[in-house]
Amino acid sequence: MKIILATQNRGKIRELQELLADENIEVLSLLDISNWEDVEENGETFADNAALKARAAVQKTGLIALADDSGLVVDALNGAPGVYSARYAGEPKDDERNNDKLLHQLESIPDDKRTARFRCALVIATPDGKEYLTEGTVEGLILRQRRGLDGFGYDPLFFVQDFARTMAELNVAQKNKLSHRAQAFRKAIPILQALKESQTLDT
């Protein structure tokens, strides 16, 4: 069975390919599609945005499509930056400016109130109009200064208490095991297995 992951992010593509390596499911991506037009992500939630991208990929290819949307949710900021995580400090997207803005917004917030989580919503859309949602979450705290060099986005500020490190201080294996996206991808595997079986029965 062939599926398409609606992303051009090689890290995401490789992650899903590795998870599905033993499932006889071939993962294509937007890198394999010509004339792809980016979808305007104007949904109110991560799931809304993921669904917009998954539906567009189904329509373009006729394949079962997966798309994810994720971001940082900070309690003291009433859930911000949320769906605006990538462009929190405006366009063009810039991780450093986003982190600077986050630190500024939380300047007066005490350490024990700086709770936050990374959230990911993954939508699987099928050519016959069915949709499935999986989600992943990682809880943490926002530090007052950056730590670690291996992450991107808000990783240098996001402290994971179980590891006593920021996401940017974790190695790739640790991060892939606990990450919100890895959780959502793993939950998608039984859904994809069932879809593959139903395709086999239909042929």
Side-chain angles (χ1 to χ4, degrees), residues 50-163:
L52 288 169
K53 291 183 281 189
R55 291 168 194 154
V58 169
Q59 190 172 15
K60 179 78 172 177
T61 66
L63 298 172
I64 292 170
L66 286 75
D68 75 294
D69 192 45
S70 59
L72 180 69
V73 175
V74 180
D75 294 320
L77 301 178
N78 298 316
V83 293
Y84 304 105
S85 291
R87 53 191 185 278
Y88 190 39
E91 298 285 1
K93 300 172 185 176
D94 184 276
D95 289 349
E96 289 303 305
R97 290 195 302 117
N98 288 340
N99 280 316
D100 287 343
K101 180 174 179 178
L102 181 64
L103 288 171
H104 178 70
Q105 299 279 40
L106 292 175
E107 206 166 26
S108 63
I109 304 299
D111 291 351
D112 62 337
K113 302 294 184 185
R114 298 166 73 94
T115 51
R117 63 205 50 83
F118 279 124
R119 291 189 56 199
C120 175
L122 177 73
V123 170
I124 303 167
T126 68
D128 60 357
K130 294 188 179 74
E131 292 183 3
Y132 306 85
L133 171 68
T134 66
E135 296 180 290
T137 304
V138 181
E139 299 287 337
L141 291 168
I142 304 300
L143 298 183
R144 295 187 180 276
Q145 57 189 20
R146 296 165 175 80
R147 277 175 41 182
L149 301 172
D150 289 337
F152 61 92
Y154 299 97
D155 288 355
L157 292 175
F158 190 88
F159 184 77
V160 184
Q161 289 170 292
D162 287 348
F163 286 84

Side-chain angles (χ1 to χ4, degrees), residues 14-29:
R14 186 168 56 251
E15 190 173 345
L16 186 60
Q17 286 172 334
E18 288 173 358
L19 285 171
L20 295 175
D22 298 326
E23 305 298 334
N24 198 26
I25 296 173
E26 182 181 352
V27 180
L28 303 177
S29 74

